[in-house]
Amino acid sequence: MEFQDKVLKCIDCGADFVFTAGEQLFFHDKQFKNEPKRCKPCKGKRANMLGSTPPGATYPKVETRTTCSGCGKDTTVPFKPTQGRPVFCRECFQQKRTTAATA
C-alpha cells in the first residue's frame, strides 16, 4: 500500500498541517482507524492541559512520612510504602545493605 502526504485541518486552531506518508504508514501498521485531528503544537497543549506527561518530562517526586521499621524514628521515603513491607530510614537501610553485602 502506498501513502502520500495529506494536508489536514486542526480542529483546535484551524491551521493546516501535513499528515505525512510515514505517519500514515505508522497509523496503518498500528491499525489506528482515525486520522489525527490536531497539529503538533495543539496536541502538546492538550496533553499538558489533560495532565499527561510528554516524553522526556520528569515526574514529581513522592515524599511519604513514615516510621522506620528498624529504629522507630520518623523519616521520609521517596516512595509510597506498601502494606506488609518494612520501611527503613537512610541509616538503617545503609546498615542493612552493608550487612547483606558482607554476608
Side-chain angles (χ1 to χ4, degrees):
M1 188 170 219
E2 193 165 320
F3 298 100
Q4 294 181 353
D5 291 358
K6 283 185 186 179
V7 177
L8 302 176
K9 190 171 286 294
C10 177
I11 63 167
D12 287 347
C13 68
D16 289 340
F17 67 98
V18 178
F19 184 33
T20 66
E23 291 169 330
Q24 291 175 49
L25 177 61
F26 176 80
F27 272 52
H28 176 74
D29 289 346
K30 295 290 185 179
Q31 298 179 351
F32 295 156
K33 304 293 181 210
N34 301 319
E35 294 179 340
K37 292 179 170 47
R38 293 176 178 81
C39 62
K40 288 212 188 277
C42 288
K43 185 177 177 185
K45 281 187 228 170
R46 181 174 166 84
N48 286 337
M49 191 172 63
L50 294 175
S52 68
T53 308
T58 58
Y59 293 95
K61 282 189 174 182
V62 175
E63 286 280 320
T64 307
R65 294 197 60 73
T66 188
T67 304
C68 175
S69 298
C71 66
K73 78 175 185 180
D74 285 337
T75 187
T76 57
V77 291
F79 57 90
K80 189 146 178 96
T82 56
Q83 286 185 331
R85 302 209 49 200
V87 178
F88 299 102
C89 64
R90 179 178 299 275
E91 293 81 20
C92 290
F93 181 76
Q94 292 293 347
Q95 184 180 17
K96 194 167 181 64
R97 197 156 143 199
T98 52
T99 304
T102 57

